[in-house]
Amino acid sequence: MKFFDLLRLILGNLSRRKARVALTAIGVVIGTAAVVILVSLGIGLQKSATDQLYGIGDLTLIDVMPTYGGEGGYYVGSGGGGPAISLSSELQEPALLTNSALEQLRLIPGVKAVIPRDYLGTQTVIRYQRMEGGVNIIGIGTNDLSTLGMEAGQGTTDLAKGTVVIGVMTPYNFYDPYQRPGQETPPPPELLNEQIQLIVIKWDQDGNEIRKTLSLRVTGILNETGGEADYSIYLPLDLVKSMNEWAYGTRINYNKTGYNQVIVKVEDPNQALDIADQITALGFQAISPQSFLQGINNTFLILQLVFGGVGAIALLVAAIGIANTMAMSILERTREIGLMKAVGATNRDVLSIFLGEAAGIGFIGGLGGIIVGWLAAQAINVIAIIYLAGQASQQGGAPPSVAVYTPIWLPIFALIFSTFIGMLSGLYPALRAATMIPVQALKYE
Amino acid sequence: MDSPLIRITDLKKHYQMGGTTVRALDGVSLDIEPHTFTVVMGPSGSGKSSLLYLLGGLDRSTSGQISIGGERLDQMDENALALFRRRTLGFIFQSYNLITSMNAAENVSFPMQFTGIPNAERNQRALQLLEQVGLADRAHHRPAELSGGQQQRVAVARALVNNPSLILADEPTGNLDTASGVTVMQLLSELHRSGRTVLVVTHDPRMTRFATHKIYLLDGHVVDEDEYQSAALEMSQGSNESLEIK
């Protein structure tokens, strides 16, 4: 039997029993709509969570730290929904982030940049006019912070000698140490293109405080990242190194001691986990936000499966409805089946016709279900975003861009799945029809 | 003389009914020549319908051989039987077996859906056959809108749609009034004259006037005309012995 003849016959048979087909298909509509809505909700929640994570951490960055040997080193794996970092109890060989190690990292395919960084390890104060503040000082081995994916909200990301690029929250750390009670608290200073003083403090053997002051011009204020960068100021690594040498009174040779931390920037966020694994294999510790993201994704995958499962229960009920309708239909059409066989239909032809009719009910219901599900998802989205935006404005958070998200694969999958469920439900009745003995079918009363 | 189109050898069809073995056919052997009009006569329960269904490959025999055109039906699997029916046979049933939701033309073209013939060609052939049975103006009527005779003529057209060489008819006039019955039998006679082999099972003796050959069945056995007539006479005289169930 040709496919189009089969299709025409199936459509004809379905249209002969419009009311029954429609009533049976309504069950499938409800089941499919439930799958579409619930899975869309799961995906929407995941998207909302991961979008926020994208805001916090650049997924193309991997933090690499040395391993000093002994027990209890970090191991950062790429797998599973479990913790992104696990403690390893194995003995590890020391692996220092020397310049030659950095060269090794640069050779890993997919690595775009390898940038060392260090913290200023002594007490510091920053001063602007009468105001002072504490701040996290990071020395960075690049003269352009955009290499790390950072963006300047004001000014530049370039780091030149005598300049500093600051995090967006840094001005809020300033206070007036001479403020008297009752006096109004000054607003955060506008620091772009202003000179600030960086006061580095150390103590001699007798406990006397020794101060060193550096004058720096603020050439850039970074965009908000939601992370450490917002409360830090960035200086060239050499400057931080020299300040650390002054503070500790000893020369630092990165070729011997290695860097405390290196940032590896990869070309494609999807490669980050693989590259982190390769770095770990070299003996270093590597932490990628991608591994956290994968953990989140795995959690949401479980959530989607649970949601999808709830929808699938509705589809299961619909499937029983299809099976019932098909069984009734076959009972009513027993003589027709006998006739089909008498005029030359093979068992396979009969099976195809009845399976096709069952699949047709699944398809019609699935089509209705994805339309209803999609419309309901859009409605939920509008209502939820209005509600969550209101909540976010009260609590000071960022409003979500999406609450329910229906990716293109979901309706396609739902349609195929509902058709398959229809076919599966019709399998037993169709097999019964196909294997009927023609003479018994023809004599059926 | 042609070699037989149908050769039946020691054909038996037994089945269980409430713990009793019913011998619907009990060692039937016969030959039917091609291009003949054969009427199988027998009272109800004589096994004539069983014979027809076995000849049509719609049922399986208990034992024995059935050969049609040199092909052994008793050795064919379900698929081969279906293809054989499609290629060689046309069926006409007492109760017409038309699909009520389809119109006359759709019913006639229905068997061709399984053959792969294009739709336009199917429609054309159906209309042509309806014209042949005198129902061209009823092509788009559903069975409920047709009389019994008209429905059976639609069934005759349907039986011809795949151009079969053998027509099997089971009590084709059983549900019809006399006039309609004669019309249908005349149609079958025309099919015979056009070169087809026609085999009709009936208990209506009026049908024998169209027949070139007659076969008499009693209690699952082939009998000669004299034996059949005397049995019929006994029945009509109110014999207590049932001719129907052994």
Side-chain angles (χ1 to χ4, degrees):
Chain A
M1 196 173 184
K2 283 185 177 172
F3 176 73
F4 283 106
D5 287 335
L6 178 66
L7 196 65
R8 192 179 290 122
L9 189 61
I10 289 166
L11 292 176
N13 288 343
L14 289 176
S15 67
R16 277 154 62 186
R17 284 172 283 274
K18 289 187 188 74
R20 187 184 292 176
V21 168
L23 286 171
T24 312
I26 285 172
V28 185
V29 169
I30 294 167
T32 310
V35 169
V36 170
I37 294 167
L38 290 171
V39 174
S40 295
L41 186 63
I43 294 170
L45 291 172
Q46 179 183 21
K47 196 169 163 52
S48 188
T50 52
D51 280 354
Q52 285 180 18
L53 191 74
Y54 270 97
I56 290 167
D58 185 342
L59 297 177
T60 58
L61 298 183
I62 301 168
D63 283 344
V64 182
M65 283 149 292
T67 309
Y68 295 107
E71 280 185 72
Y74 283 119
Y75 170 74
V76 181
S78 60
I85 305 168
S86 60
L87 283 170
S88 165
S89 60
E90 289 174 19
L91 283 171
Q92 293 183 352
E93 288 292 316
L96 300 176
L97 289 164
T98 58
N99 283 323
S100 61
L102 265 54
E103 281 307 314
Q104 249 187 311
L105 297 181
R106 283 189 185 100
L107 290 174
I108 296 173
V111 169
K112 196 172 172 185
V114 176
I115 300 157
R117 73 177 202 172
D118 208 347
Y119 293 90
L120 187 57
T122 185
Q123 190 180 342
T124 50
V125 174
I126 50 171
R127 180 180 290 159
Y128 174 68
Q129 295 172 350
R130 280 167 57 90
M131 301 172 81
E132 288 183 358
V135 77
N136 184 37
I137 297 166
I138 300 171
I140 195 88
T142 176
N143 51 17
D144 184 1
L145 291 175
S146 66
T147 319
L148 293 170
M150 292 176 170
E151 291 169 355
Q154 295 174 57
T156 177
T157 52
D158 289 339
L159 272 180
K161 194 177 177 185
T163 68
V164 62
V165 174
I166 63 171
V168 70
M169 301 305 285
T170 312
Y172 294 89
N173 282 1
F174 281 90
Y175 64 96
D176 183 356
Y178 308 106
Q179 186 179 352
R180 284 190 290 269
Q183 196 175 353
E184 195 181 338
T185 303
E190 296 285 342
L191 293 176
L192 187 66
N193 296 322
E194 296 296 318
Q195 291 290 136
I196 59 170
Q197 276 78 47
L198 177 65
I199 301 154
V200 187
I201 304 164
K202 71 172 182 178
W203 290 266
D204 65 13
Q205 288 173 337
D206 302 326
N208 299 315
E209 186 179 283
I210 305 169
R211 291 186 167 218
K212 186 176 183 179
T213 302
L214 287 164
S215 185
L216 301 163
R217 192 165 65 88
V218 177
T219 53
I221 300 174
L222 297 171
N223 272 340
E224 187 174 357
T225 64
E228 180 196 41
D230 291 349
Y231 299 91
S232 303
I233 67 171
Y234 286 88
L235 296 170
L237 182 63
D238 287 345
L239 182 60
V240 172
K241 180 188 167 196
S242 65
M243 285 192 286
N244 274 332
E245 285 174 340
W246 175 80
Y248 299 136
T250 177
R251 282 192 63 78
I252 297 168
N253 184 350
Y254 287 130
N255 269 331
K256 281 187 179 169
T257 60
Y259 295 98
N260 288 325
Q261 193 181 11
V262 165
I263 298 167
V264 171
K265 170 110 176 147
V266 300
E267 285 165 359
D268 180 359
N270 296 323
Q271 291 181 308
L273 282 174
D274 183 42
I275 292 171
D277 282 346
Q278 290 183 55
I279 294 169
T280 307
L282 291 172
F284 305 110
Q285 301 167 50
I287 300 172
S288 161
Q290 202 46 284
S291 57
F292 291 100
L293 187 68
Q294 193 175 52
I296 287 173
N297 282 340
N298 285 330
T299 307
F300 277 102
L301 182 66
I302 292 166
L303 188 71
Q304 284 162 34
L305 287 173
V306 171
F307 279 3
V310 172
I313 290 170
L315 256 184
L316 181 71
V317 176
I320 294 166
I322 295 176
N324 185 40
T325 297
M326 291 311 297
M328 287 297 295
S329 175
I330 281 156
L331 212 59
E332 286 170 5
R333 291 158 68 191
T334 302
R335 287 174 73 104
E336 187 181 319
I337 293 163
L339 176 75
M340 281 185 207
K341 293 193 162 196
V343 300
T346 60
N347 288 1
R348 191 177 166 173
D349 288 334
V350 177
L351 184 75
S352 303
I353 291 165
F354 285 94
L355 269 186
E357 288 181 24
I361 296 173
F363 181 84
I364 292 165
L367 204 60
I370 58 175
I371 292 168
V372 170
W374 186 81
L375 288 173
Q378 297 311 304
I380 292 169
N381 218 10
V382 170
I383 296 164
I385 285 176
I386 291 169
Y387 174 75
L388 292 173
Q391 293 280 306
S393 67
Q394 280 176 14
Q395 293 165 9
S401 57
V402 65
V404 181
Y405 178 74
T406 310
I408 188 70
W409 62 261
L410 181 58
I412 295 169
F413 167 79
L415 193 60
I416 293 170
F417 188 62
S418 61
T419 307
F420 175 72
I421 288 282
M423 200 185 284
L424 204 64
S425 314
L427 186 61
Y428 174 66
L431 275 172
R432 266 185 54 202
T435 53
M436 272 181 192
I437 297 168
V439 68
Q440 288 176 0
L442 282 165
K443 286 179 174 176
Y444 182 81
E445 295 292 340
Chain B
M1 194 173 176
D2 292 330
S3 59
L5 175 71
I6 300 171
R7 170 157 283 171
I8 295 170
T9 312
D10 196 23
L11 188 66
K12 292 180 181 171
K13 177 65 183 177
H14 299 172
Y15 54 90
Q16 294 294 319
M17 186 179 274
T20 311
T21 301
V22 178
R23 297 168 190 274
L25 292 172
D26 202 15
V28 171
S29 295
L30 54 86
D31 287 348
I32 295 172
E33 307 302 325
H35 317 301
T36 54
F37 189 124
T38 305
V39 170
V40 181
M41 292 287 296
S44 183
S46 59
K48 58 187 188 304
S49 288
S50 296
L51 177 66
L52 186 98
Y53 287 128
L54 288 172
L55 278 174
L58 297 172
D59 201 0
R60 292 287 187 182
S61 62
T62 307
S63 65
Q65 295 177 6
I66 307 171
S67 168
I68 298 180
E71 294 188 73
R72 285 280 298 276
L73 266 62
D74 52 286
Q75 292 178 343
M76 287 181 186
D77 63 15
E78 291 299 321
N79 196 49
L81 275 176
L83 297 176
F84 177 80
R85 287 192 292 265
R86 185 187 299 176
R87 203 173 52 238
T88 314
L89 303 179
F91 282 98
I92 300 162
F93 303 97
Q94 181 178 358
S95 54
Y96 330 128
N97 278 337
L98 299 179
I99 298 172
T100 52
S101 55
M102 292 182 180
N103 65 32
E106 287 166 343
N107 266 294
V108 173
S109 66
F110 183 70
M112 283 195 287
Q113 301 203 66
F114 305 105
T115 59
I117 294 169
N119 195 33
E121 199 179 320
R122 294 203 301 250
N123 292 338
Q124 195 185 352
R125 173 111 176 108
L127 292 173
Q128 186 190 334
L129 285 166
L130 282 172
E131 195 176 348
Q132 201 176 320
V133 298
L135 290 174
D137 57 336
R138 299 283 179 168
H140 300 293
H141 287 64
R142 294 197 175 189
E145 298 162 337
L146 301 172
S147 70
Q150 287 172 331
Q151 288 188 54
Q152 194 61 298
R153 278 148 69 193
V154 172
V156 171
R158 183 183 60 194
L160 296 175
V161 81
N162 283 335
N163 200 23
S165 55
L166 176 61
I167 304 288
L168 300 175
D170 182 17
E171 303 275 12
T173 59
N175 286 359
L176 303 179
D177 58 55
T178 308
S180 299
V182 169
T183 308
V184 167
M185 288 308 285
Q186 279 169 342
L187 265 176
L188 292 173
S189 181
E190 279 169 28
L191 296 180
H192 163 238
R193 283 200 296 275
S194 69
R196 290 186 173 86
T197 307
V198 178
L199 190 144
V200 178
V201 302
T202 182
H203 62 272
D204 186 351
R206 289 174 300 173
M207 298 303 151
T208 56
R209 71 181 164 111
F210 296 96
T212 58
H213 293 76
K214 288 166 248 175
I215 295 168
Y216 297 96
L217 274 180
L218 274 179
D219 300 331
H221 297 277
V222 177
V223 296
D224 60 31
E225 189 172 2
D226 292 341
E227 190 180 344
Y228 181 79
Q229 294 299 352
S230 65
L233 190 65
E234 276 181 41
M235 279 182 73
S236 65
Q237 287 171 347
S239 168
N240 291 330
E241 282 184 55
S242 168
L243 290 166
E244 297 178 11
I245 300 171
K246 193 171 184 179

